[in-house]
Structure formats: C-alpha cells, structure tokens
Amino acid sequence: MMTYIVFILSVIFVVSFVGFSSKPSPIYGGLVLIVSGGVGCGIIMNFGGSFLGLMVFLIYLGGMLVVFGYTTAMATEQYPEVWVSNTTVMGVFLLGLLMEVMLVLYVLKGEEVGVVFKFSGVGDWAIYDTGDSGVFSEEIMGVAALYSYGAWVVIVTGWSLLVGVLVILEVTRGD
Amino acid sequence: MNPLIFTTILMTVLLGTMIVMTSSHWLMIWIGFEMNLLAIIPILMKKYNPRTMEASTKYFLTQATASMLLMMAIIINLMHSGQWTITKVFNPTASIIMTSALAMKLGLTPFHFWVPEVTQGISLTSGLILLTWQKLAPMSILYQISPSINLNILLTMAVLSILVGGWGGLNQTQLRKIMAYSSIAHMGWMTAVLVYNPTLTMLNMLIYIMMTLTMFMLFIHSSSTTTLSLSHTWNKTPLTTTLILITLLSMGGLPPLSGFMPKWMIIQELTKNSSIILPTLMAIMALLNLYFYMRLTYSTSLTMFPSTNNMKMKWQFETKRITLLPPLIVMSSLLLPLTPMLSILD
C-alpha cells in the first residue's frame, strides 16, 4: 500500500473536492477543506516537501481556515445544508463520486490512461527515490529561491493580496 | 468610492495587463490575468444597484472559468515540453484549450454571451474600460502563441463572431449593447487574420480601440445610453451629431475613413493566402454591422427623430469635460492616408 500512497491520497483529495463543490453549507465545506488540506499536505510530503506540507497545516488550516470557520459560524443559518438534506446536493455529490470511482477503476485496470493526456497506469504515481541532490533539501532551496531570484513574484503576489482585500472591502461596502 | 482606493484599484488593473503583456513565464501571465480580473470588479460595480452587481458577477464567473482553462493549458504544456517560457505551445491539446480560454476572455463566439449583458449592466465609463483595455491582455497572448494555434478552430470562431456580432446587434436600441456586439464583430475580424499576419491584428486592435474610445466618449458627453436619448443631441450640442456620424461610419468600415484600413488590409492578406470565400463572407457580414451603425446615424444626425413635444429639450447638465475628444475623433476618421506607416507595427 505504501507504494501507492500518493494515488490513494490523491483519490481522497479529489473526493473531498467533490464534497465541497456540491455546495453544502459553508461550514461543511470548511470541514471537507480541512480533510483535503491534510491530504494535500500528505501528498506534498511524499514528494519530499516536508516544509511546505507543514506550512499548509500551519498557515492554511491553522490560520486561514480557522478565521473562515469563525466567520461562517457567525453568519450561519438555522438549518444548514448537509450533503443528504437536499436532493440536488446529494445528486451532484454522488455524480462526482461516481466519476471518480470510474476513473480510479480505469486507472487500476489498464495500462495506459489517455483522457486528456496520457499516463501509464498507477505506476506513474509511485515515488521512486531517484538519487540524492546532496546535502540540501530541494524544496527548502525552492523557498529560498522564491525570496531571492523570485523577488518580483513575491512583490506581485503581495500586491495582489493587498488589492484583494481592498476589492473585497469595496464590493461588500454597498452604498 | 474613496479616491485613493479607486486610484489604487485602477492602477492594479493597468499593472495586471502590463504583467500579462511583458512576462515570459506562463505563471506570471496567469497571475496578471487574475490580478486584472480581481481589480476590475469594483470598477464595474461603481454604482451599487442589482444590475451592476449581476453584471460584475457574470463577468467574474466567465473570466475565472477562462483563467482556469488557461491554467490547465499551461500545465499540459508544461507536462509535454518541460518548460514555462512563452513561445509556441507545443502540444495541440494545450493549444486548443488555450485558444478557447483566450476566446472566452475576448468574447468570441461561442463564448460571446456575456458581452452584451455585462456591458449593458454597467456604467458607460466602466463599459469603456471593459471593451477596450480588457481586450489588450488576451490579444497579446494570442499574438505570442499565434504560430501554434489551430487554424480551423480560430477561423470558425472568427467567422461566427462576425456573424453574431452583426446579426445580434440588429435588434438593439440600447447603445451599450450595440457597442458590445460591435466589439464581438471586431474581435472576429482581429482573430481571423491572426494566423496569417499578426501585425494586422495589432493594427486592427489599435484602430478599434481608438474608434470605440471615441464612440464611448461621445456617448458620455451627451449622457445618452439609448438610441432615443442619443437622437436628442441635435438639441444639446449640434456639432456632436456630425462627429457621431463620422465616427460611426468609420466603425462600419467605409473607405475614406480610418475604419476602412484594417478591413482592407485584412481582406488583402487573406486573399494573398488564397482564401477567397472567407473574406467575401466576412465583408458581407460586416454589412450587418454597417446597417445598425447607419440606423444610429439616421436617427441622430440625419433626421430629427420623432418624439413627444415635451421630450424635445434635453436637460442641460453641466457639460462634462472630456479630455482628448477632438484628437480622438480626428484620429478615428482621418488615418487612412497613413496606411503605409503600418510597417512600424512590425
């Protein structure tokens, strides 16, 4: 099972995405986001990125999602929508689940899967430890490179976040 | 809106387009598109009524979907070529997805449905920014990937856009919807020649922006958003009726005016590449466009449009000072003799 751990985690990832895109109440969406965040962290860690995975848990789940949970709890309604409360929501969830199950069976059975692009069966997801990149871990180097060579990206993303906040305030201000 | 915040948001719209136009990394281009989209939403929603909110929501949904498709095309391109630089898109699947994403951003058929509804729901100035500045970024990306675009898809979308832009505008009396359909048709002309000679796409974009800018400013000057309201300009400033006449005929592509230049060059380029039926069809469908422009000129400058007696006087608001209106009008009508200067666009 450990060889195919990334495959299993990515299936859970997609299922939890289906869970919140079938639009239950935001609280349940947040619940499923926690699961998908944790599973995503697992996927990143399997590729060797322990720092980024921990950052997902800390900043995304422990910071942003907590604030989201509190604001949704303040703005919630008396009977929030669950997945089984509304026919539409349940229908969409089951449809997404069905499509994922069919895709998984297709991948598990066959050699090549060619939906939009080809990948050769489950083997493509197994992690092979391909050589050492020396003393340094690659992904910490990536983060370091973001702040040195990629200073322009940091400036642009920082500016977008600031403007995002301004835009949200403008839009929700009303008259 | 607080002037400082408004300036910041407007500068971010400009910054987003600049990032798209000057980046060499696909991820930065996507970031530029998203920044552009995010910052233009409050500009579209300048007045807070349900109409503008609905229009900005529609705009956001379509553009966000297009950005997602663009991201998917970028990732497929990454998978197959292993690099992030903007050159040709090496994989045909990625190229088709990217072309559809950029067509959604521009408003080409079959993704044109948002253009009239969004343009109608927002104020005239916001509509101006929407139909001119927002077309620059996707068109620059199309220009850069033009060697690898699937010709059949692009030409089908272009011809259908010209047809829809001409045909759809026929039943309209609201000026913003007329300008929206005109935008769809012009985008069709621009993308038709993209694969053959991208310089002409840029020329058409330049002239289209000038003419649309002029038209919108003339509408803002007379504060009119319907044909009926525009037909009262003889009462307020009789000079603008002549200017509206000239600019509208230029938009329709009539010869001595500058709107003829891109159409002429495009038809010439297409016939040089041995396609005869296509430019004939395009020229015939541009006549539909010309028809509703002529209807506007007929009601505005050529006749005194019938209306009840108490509506004949237009309320004299303080005249808006519109910068650059006279030079724009001159440029959008008299540029035809400068056609040999086309070579500087290379």
Side-chain angles (χ1 to χ4, degrees), chain B residues 15-41:
Chain B
L15 180 65
T17 311
M18 284 295 119
I19 289 179
V20 170
M21 282 168 41
T22 59
S23 286
S24 55
H25 193 277
W26 275 119
L27 193 65
M28 288 305 289
I29 287 187
W30 181 81
I31 291 178
F33 272 122
E34 292 295 294
M35 192 193 288
N36 193 6
L37 171 62
L38 186 70
I40 204 173
I41 296 296

Side-chain angles (χ1 to χ4, degrees), chain B residues 285-328:
Chain B
M285 292 190 289
L287 286 178
L288 293 171
N289 256 322
L290 184 62
Y291 174 71
F292 57 80
Y293 296 143
M294 293 226 15
R295 191 168 53 192
L296 269 183
T297 63
Y298 179 74
S299 68
T300 311
S301 28
L302 300 180
T303 53
M304 290 161 86
F305 204 63
S307 56
T308 52
N309 269 334
N310 62 349
M311 276 185 65
K312 284 207 197 301
M313 300 295 288
K314 212 167 166 162
W315 187 251
Q316 301 278 354
F317 286 114
E318 182 185 312
T319 315
K320 301 184 175 65
R321 181 176 301 131
I322 311 225
T323 51
L324 290 186
L325 188 55
L328 268 180

Side-chain angles (χ1 to χ4, degrees), chain A residues 99-116:
Chain A
M99 288 178 65
E100 176 63 14
V101 163
M102 289 203 311
L103 187 66
V104 166
L105 289 178
Y106 186 16
V107 169
L108 285 178
K109 180 191 309 258
E111 291 297 313
E112 271 214 339
V113 177
V115 178
V116 177

Side-chain angles (χ1 to χ4, degrees), chain B residues 261-278:
Chain B
M261 190 191 334
K263 291 194 165 57
W264 173 23
M265 293 284 109
I266 290 176
I267 292 181
Q268 186 173 13
E269 197 62 37
L270 283 173
T271 49
K272 270 192 222 164
N273 278 290
S274 314
S275 68
I276 314 282
I277 305 182
L278 184 71

